Amino acid sequence: MKQILDQLLGSGKGWLEQGGEKRKGQLQGALAGGALGMLLGHRKVNKYAGKIAALGGAAALGGLALKLYQDWQAGQAGAGGGSPPQPLATLEGEALDQRAALLVRAMIAAARADGHIDETERQRISDHLSALGLRDTARYIDGELARALDPHALAREVTDMEQATELYFASLLAIEVDHFMEHGYLDELARALRLDPDLKGRIEQQVAAL
């Protein structure tokens, strides 16, 4: 879990520094405790680590998502208008904190989409982190696991199509699509985000190439 949040959030402009020591301890501690491996299942975590290493962190994720969106938009008849996108790397303070937190929620949701985290596994994750002295982290992760798996709830917090591209990209990073429940979750997330099929395909191709 250290890698997922350190790469995703630690590379965001000032995110950890602005979030304070409590937030930094929760997020980096969760990674150090290996919660990602427990969320994904150990057979998937190595593939995930390779994708993250190739990507290079949150700023790179935001940059790739923006380029994918802009390239897609350039090919759309009548494209333009509306508010300009706000790339992740340009955000600061509360705006960055909220954007990064939504990405974390999306990645945790995607990682559990195959249904392998039952109550026993959830307790094991909490016990493991608590045993390492990471009780705040355990509560943070458990709170996310207690949420209903609802892609529409995530989509409601997305403000524009560039952010939708970014959130779908991040979700794909945290999932190895080899189970019908994962396929179903991603399809429903794409519908909730109102992703154009061509844009959805471009995102999937980019993540597959990492």
Side-chain angles (χ1 to χ4, degrees):
M1 186 80 173
K2 184 179 192 307
Q3 194 166 11
I4 191 172
L5 293 175
D6 193 44
Q7 291 286 346
L8 176 62
L9 302 178
S11 297
K13 186 179 179 182
W15 193 90
L16 287 175
E17 289 77 9
Q18 294 170 5
E21 287 303 313
K22 181 177 180 181
R23 171 70 75 161
K24 183 175 181 179
Q26 287 177 339
L27 300 186
Q28 293 189 326
L31 293 170
L36 176 62
M38 303 172 85
L39 288 169
L40 289 175
H42 292 293
R43 70 185 180 85
K44 297 182 179 182
V45 72
N46 288 338
K47 290 183 179 180
Y48 171 81
K51 290 178 182 179
I52 286 297
L55 178 65
L61 184 155
L64 277 173
L66 178 61
K67 186 177 188 307
L68 281 166
Y69 168 68
Q70 289 176 331
D71 288 349
W72 168 81
Q73 187 185 49
Q76 304 305 300
S83 301
Q86 292 185 299
L88 183 66
T90 68
L91 300 177
E92 297 180 333
E94 184 65 20
L96 178 57
D97 186 75
Q98 291 178 358
R99 182 83 154 257
L102 183 61
L103 289 174
V104 173
R105 286 176 51 202
M107 296 180 81
I108 291 174
R112 56 186 279 236
D114 64 358
H116 75 280
I117 301 178
D118 56 17
E119 287 301 316
T120 300
E121 186 71 3
R122 180 177 156 189
Q123 187 62 52
R124 188 169 76 88
I125 293 170
S126 182
D127 290 346
H128 175 72
L129 295 173
S130 294
L132 295 174
L134 304 172
R135 291 179 178 81
D136 287 344
T137 295
R139 283 192 289 270
Y140 171 78
I141 296 294
D142 193 61
E144 290 304 308
L145 296 178
R147 289 178 185 265
L149 193 62
D150 183 2
H152 291 269
L154 295 170
R156 283 193 291 270
E157 298 188 36
V158 170
T159 59
D160 55 50
M161 193 52 60
E162 185 271 330
Q163 190 184 1
T165 302
E166 182 182 271
L167 189 141
Y168 191 70
F169 194 120
S171 297
L172 281 171
L173 285 175
I175 200 169
E176 185 68 24
V177 189
D178 57 3
H179 191 282
F180 77 93
M181 292 176 69
E182 293 165 327
H183 281 284
Y185 176 80
L186 288 174
D187 286 345
E188 190 62 26
L189 178 63
R191 282 191 290 271
L193 293 169
R194 299 182 180 180
L195 286 178
D196 179 89
D198 179 56
L199 177 57
K200 177 177 179 286
R202 289 175 185 235
I203 301 167
E204 291 167 350
Q205 290 173 7
Q206 180 66 66
V207 173
L210 292 174

